Amino acid sequence: MNNAEKSLNFIEHIIEDDLKSGFSRSDLRFRFPPEPNGYLHIGHASSICLNFGLGLRYDSPVNLRFDDTNPIKEEQEYVDAIKKDVEWLGYQWDNECYASDYFQQLYDWAVQLIKEGKAYVDSQASDEMAKQKGSPTEPGVNSPFRERSIEENLTLFKGMKNGEFEEGVHVLRAKIDMSSPNMLMRDPIMYRVLHKDHHRTKDEWCIYPLYDWTHGESDYIESISHSLCTLEFAPHRELYDWFLDQVREAPKLRPKQREFARRNLSHTVVSKRKLLQLVEKGVVSSWDDPRMPTISGLRRRGYTPESIRKFADTIGIAKRENVVDVSLLEFTVREHLNKIAPRVMAVLDPLKVVITNYPEGEEEWLTTENNPGDEAAGTRQIPFSRELWVERADFREEANRKYFRLKLGGEVRLKSGYIIKAESCTKNADGEVIEVQCTYDPKSKSGSGTEESMRKVKGTLHWVSAQHAINAEIRLYDRLFTDATPDAHKDRDFMEFINPESLEIRTGYLEPSLETAKIGLRYQFQRLGYFCVDPDSTENKLVFNRTVTLRDTWAKLDSGQ
Ligand code: ATP
Ligand code: MG
């Protein structure tokens, strides 16, 4: 096996084998087929990256197909959100398709099946039909309506279409085999009556085709060569093929369904139905709440499309389901933001530091790099003055030799600034430190070239000049669920595992360069993590989301780096 082959996933192997056995490369065509009944989530990203990735690899068209056959749950809002998300992830579809565009063709094919004696109208109640279905070990029982005449079937089916019947009175079923070992082959329902307006076809139809009848035929209409879906559809493959066999006219291409494992992420749920519950019950503010595992939530949280694509690529395509730890997703975004995010300083839990030997009323502007790892990112100026904010956790009255932050009698360097020494502190009536008095070494300014500026002290702290600081609302997020697999418990509902402390709101004190920060921009708040400007920001108030913390911040600092 050479290297190129090694990197292929099993779906690509299937395609390579097809090409080797004579399938024409120019006939390759893929699709991503979401149902517009919710927003896309991180699980969908795997399917998007797989299908669009194949398009790029083989230079083949990829359709975006809305599987919109259930007007009860589908909405235009979801269509719009899905398009936005796929584009944001960086993919361009060849055609924007809708299963609803095929309703007439599907209907015509259904009529053809009736005429061929391969479909019939069943007029039993649904529980009656369920009883006749049998079990995996017992064959089913034929419906008393199974042998209806073709004429009667045609009349009734037309009546269903024309709105002559209430919901549930009749359904159209394929006439296959009530004793098939595959329960899905036991005369599956093709159509039901639904007096509901559809977001596209409005009131044009009051019968709607079911998934199995729609999906393969839509693939066929669009000449999709490889129809990739998740594993739960494996038992549907036989039916997918049966329906295709009824309508296909050779030599038109016969689509091929292949299955891969659904991707699950720890500490969350990846199911539109369950995510909708979180929105409807007010557990989160919206589909794009930054705690949601939706593409729109991750975008608002500060994730980059590159990091999501990288994540999908890293976890790859599997044959068996498993749960991927959310820390891997966090790792990929951290890695990307480390490269691209400008560094700034912000204090989230402020403690006042007064530099007693710095003249009152004076200020100076210090030059600092925007990204030490990227010279092209340039530099900016940050103000320094007598009164500063530092992080409360960065000061202790007393501490052992391993504590490299500020302690009485000890020195630290202020990032891009001076070396300061803590001389004394003031406490309130509760014994809490409310101010630390320090002195600074005027010759120690970073980058000034003096001997003192090169002097090594163990700790470097971030800080913000108090008089220049701007206030912002800072939203800190924790996992939405306390359990790694909230929806995998047999007798407990996933809603029982919601983390009541998944959102913490703070006021942050930010360096003034952030005053002009625009919605969506991402920054590293030094030593604190990566943050992104939230769309809730207004002209008067900035709101930041913490995307992810920095890895091992304290461990690094305390080991003296
Ligand atoms: P949900 O249960 O969240 O609604 P779904 O499978 O019903 O998921 P669809 O809109 O039908 O959602 O999905 C579109 C495509 O994305 C399908 O091909 C589906 O198999 C795939 N997909 C959905 N969820 C995942 C997942 N967690 N991992 C990988 N692929 C997924
Ligand atoms: Mg679905």
Side-chain angles (χ1 to χ4, degrees):
M1 204 188 263
N2 65 29
N3 274 342
E5 276 177 344
K6 251 187 227 161
S7 67
L8 296 185
N9 63 45
F10 80 95
I11 296 283
E12 287 160 345
H13 275 295
I14 291 173
I15 295 169
E16 289 295 323
D17 288 346
D18 287 342
L19 293 176
K20 273 185 209 134
S21 54
F23 191 89
S24 164
R25 198 181 174 101
S26 61
D27 284 339
L28 289 177
R29 188 182 279 265
F30 308 94
R31 92 285 174 259
F32 170 63
E35 183 182 358
N37 62 345
Y39 282 57
L40 296 179
H41 51 63
I42 187 72
H44 291 113
S46 282
S47 177
I48 293 169
C49 293
L50 171 64
N51 285 294
F52 284 95
L54 288 168
L56 292 172
R57 172 184 275 269
Y58 294 105
D59 196 18
S60 319
V62 184
N63 289 348
L64 174 62
R65 171 168 354 115
F66 291 98
D67 212 339
D68 56 346
T69 57
N70 183 0
I72 300 171
K73 294 187 180 155
E74 298 159 1
E75 285 174 33
Q76 186 61 39
E77 176 197 343
Y78 298 140
V79 171
D80 297 339
I82 288 169
K83 283 164 65 178
K84 181 174 173 184
D85 289 349
V86 175
E87 269 181 330
W88 178 77
L89 280 174
Y91 296 111
Q92 191 50 61
W93 50 87
D94 194 51
N95 290 304
E96 180 179 331
C97 305
Y98 294 83
S100 56
D101 283 346
Y102 312 139
F103 281 172
Q104 185 62 46
Q105 173 68 80
L106 291 167
Y107 177 82
D108 293 343
W109 275 330
V111 169
Q112 180 192 319
L113 256 66
I114 294 174
K115 286 182 180 162
E116 290 168 1
K118 289 173 181 160
Y120 64 97
V121 173
D122 198 335
S123 310
Q124 302 183 91
S126 57
D127 54 345
E128 208 50 46
M129 282 187 267
K131 271 188 232 153
Q132 292 162 356
K133 260 267 136 113
S135 72
T137 49
E138 267 174 287
V141 175
N142 285 353
S143 161
F145 297 98
R146 202 172 196 262
E147 300 308 328
R148 253 179 175 147
S149 73
I150 289 173
E151 281 66 40
E152 195 183 355
N153 280 321
L154 286 173
T155 311
L156 286 171
F157 188 48
K158 212 172 264 175
M160 284 167 64
K161 174 182 187 274
N162 292 337
E164 290 164 21
F165 304 111
E166 294 296 308
E167 292 178 10
V169 175
H170 304 294
V171 291
L172 185 74
R173 295 178 76 175
K175 194 191 267 190
I176 308 180
D177 179 4
M178 289 303 289
S179 59
S180 169
N182 180 351
M183 300 269 294
L184 292 163
M185 298 297 280
R186 296 183 186 174
D187 292 9
I189 295 177
M190 295 168 68
Y191 276 96
R192 57 180 171 162
V193 174
L194 265 185
H195 292 282
K196 290 271 174 347
D197 276 13
H198 183 280
H199 65 97
R200 297 186 78 240
T201 60
K202 308 292 179 229
D203 61 356
E204 201 181 323
W205 293 87
C206 57
I207 52 170
Y208 289 93
L210 272 83
Y211 174 87
D212 287 308
W213 170 236
T214 313
H215 203 85
E217 322 315 289
S218 303
D219 287 338
Y220 174 67
I221 292 168
E222 294 172 22
S223 298
I224 301 303
S225 60
H226 294 77
S227 176
L228 310 172
C229 60
T230 34
L231 276 181
E232 69 271 22
F233 291 103
H236 295 246
R237 199 203 279 184
E238 193 181 354
L239 182 54
Y240 178 98
D241 288 338
W242 189 90
F243 278 136
L244 278 180
D245 287 340
Q246 310 315 310
V247 306
R248 188 171 86 97
E249 289 169 29
K252 206 172 166 219
L253 183 138
R254 189 181 204 288
K256 188 168 178 173
Q257 173 184 303
R258 289 295 177 269
E259 308 85 15
F260 63 97
R262 199 166 261 275
R263 284 309 197 174
N264 302 304
L265 191 65
S266 79
H267 297 92
T268 194
V269 289
V270 280
S271 146
K272 283 178 277 175
R273 186 176 56 78
K274 289 174 189 156
L275 294 172
L276 176 65
Q277 238 174 293
L278 296 174
V279 176
E280 284 180 338
K281 298 231 164 96
V283 173
V284 294
S285 60
S286 53
W287 280 98
D288 71 344
D289 186 301
R291 289 167 291 178
M292 290 281 267
T294 51
I295 304 296
S296 52
L298 292 167
R299 171 169 63 234
R300 186 165 167 191
R301 174 90 170 241
Y303 275 74
T304 57
E306 292 88 339
S307 62
I308 295 176
R309 293 201 305 261
K310 177 76 189 288
F311 172 72
D313 195 45
T314 306
I315 62 177
I317 295 301
K319 289 186 184 176
R320 272 200 209 105
E321 261 197 53
N322 67 347
V323 179
V324 180
D325 201 285
V326 66
S327 60
L328 182 62
L329 180 63
E330 292 167 349
F331 173 81
T332 54
V333 74
R334 198 181 275 128
E335 215 181 24
H336 189 221
L337 292 177
N338 181 38
K339 291 198 191 104
I340 61 161
R343 274 56 173 166
V344 291
M345 290 202 278
V347 171
L348 300 191
D349 186 12
L351 174 64
K352 178 73 69 73
V353 162
V354 178
I355 316 284
T356 53
N357 60 340
Y358 195 85
E360 262 176 70
E362 200 161 300
E363 65 170 41
E364 64 189 291
W365 291 76
L366 306 170
T367 302
T368 185
E369 288 169 308
N370 288 329
N371 187 345
D374 175 13
E375 221 173 285
T379 59
R380 72 183 186 291
Q381 303 280 301
I382 47 170
F384 183 80
S385 65
R386 183 180 157 93
E387 296 198 356
L388 313 170
W389 296 119
V390 300
E391 226 50 74
R392 182 163 292 279
D394 283 343
F395 173 74
R396 280 192 210 161
E397 281 181 87
E398 277 176 59
N400 67 23
R401 286 175 40 237
K402 293 226 167 113
Y403 184 80
F404 298 132
R405 292 173 254 168
L406 195 57
K407 59 187 167 194
L408 288 182
E411 284 185 320
V412 292
R413 176 172 288 284
L414 295 175
K415 171 88 191 129
S416 303
Y418 296 95
I419 294 173
I420 60 169
K421 182 177 178 188
E423 308 284 358
S424 57
C425 64
T426 313
K427 294 182 195 173
N428 65 13
D430 297 333
E432 249 182 304
V433 176
I434 51 167
E435 189 185 290
V436 184
Q437 294 85 34
C438 297
T439 51
Y440 86 120
D441 175 355
K443 295 206 189 91
S444 64
K445 186 159 109 180
S446 288
S448 62
T450 62
E451 209 172 294
E452 287 87 345
S453 72
M454 322 269 199
R455 189 153 69 82
K456 288 263 179 282
V457 287
K458 289 251 163 110
T460 300
L461 303 189
H462 64 279
W463 54 277
V464 173
S465 164
Q467 108 194 49
H468 300 89
I470 53 171
N471 290 6
E473 178 175 320
I474 310 290
R475 298 177 182 169
L476 304 176
Y477 301 103
D478 198 354
R479 289 165 185 179
L480 193 47
F481 292 92
T482 52
D483 191 85
T485 53
D487 52 358
H489 298 267
K490 273 206 189 86
D491 31 52
R492 293 183 67 185
D493 188 71
F494 74 100
M495 296 288 267
E496 291 177 43
F497 298 98
I498 285 168
N499 175 6
E501 280 155 22
S502 59
L503 169 63
E504 184 188 343
I505 297 182
R506 299 247 187 111
T507 297
Y509 296 77
L510 280 43
E511 64 166 79
S513 76
L514 285 167
E515 187 120 47
T516 53
K518 299 272 180 303
I519 288 169
L521 289 186
R522 308 174 181 95
Y523 298 89
Q524 185 194 92
F525 288 5
Q526 283 182 305
R527 296 179 62 228
L528 297 175
Y530 294 97
F531 291 75
C532 175
V533 185
D534 190 82
D536 283 348
S537 299
T538 63
E539 239 175 77
N540 304 319
K541 185 179 158 201
L542 281 169
V543 179
F544 279 86
N545 297 311
R546 182 162 67 195
T547 312
V548 67
T549 54
L550 294 180
R551 179 184 19 188
D552 294 338
T553 327
W554 301 127
K556 234 183 182 178
L557 190 82
D558 285 352
S559 70
Q561 285 177 19

